[in-house]
């Protein structure tokens, strides 16, 4: 398993539009990509579940994955969490 921890810096957090872009990117990978925030976990491939995490500015998020291309998937999703607004 590979994981990274990032802090959301987007002024309005990760709302629907950026979350949809994140889901689209996560679905490119065969491995399971999980986002954990404030004790809750959700698949990075589910827009609905991501929206239940409360991905607000300043929140620390852990992204982890297991399987084929896990490291690449986690790095890409983590970078999106840092750059999407």
């Amino acid at each position: 398993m590979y994981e990274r921890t990032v802090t959301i810096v987007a002024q309005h957090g990760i709302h629907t539009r950026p979350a949809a872009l994140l889901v689209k990117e996560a679905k490119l990978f065969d491995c399971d990509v999980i986002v954990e925030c404030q004790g809750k976990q959700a698949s990075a491939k589910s827009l609905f579940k991501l929206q239940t995490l409360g991905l607000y500015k300043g929140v620390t998020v852990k992204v982890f994955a297991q399987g084929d291309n896990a490291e690449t998937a986690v790095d890409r999703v983590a970078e999106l969490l840092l750059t999407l607004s």
Side-chain angles (χ1 to χ4, degrees), residues 14-80:
I14 305 299
H15 52 85
T16 304
R17 191 175 308 132
L21 295 172
L22 193 145
V23 168
K24 183 178 179 181
E25 188 70 23
K27 286 183 176 183
L28 297 175
F29 299 95
D30 290 330
C31 60
D32 295 325
V33 183
I34 305 297
V35 177
E36 182 178 299
C37 180
Q38 301 176 9
K40 296 186 213 173
Q41 294 183 354
S43 170
K45 297 180 181 183
S46 170
L47 180 60
F48 175 76
K49 291 190 180 200
L50 279 179
Q51 290 180 306
T52 67
L53 295 181
L55 301 173
Y56 304 111
K57 181 179 180 179
V59 172
T60 300
V61 177
K62 181 166 67 170
V63 181
F64 57 95
Q66 189 169 338
D68 294 339
N69 297 320
E71 188 171 330
T72 305
V74 167
D75 287 341
R76 185 64 188 135
V77 169
E79 287 303 313
L80 285 172

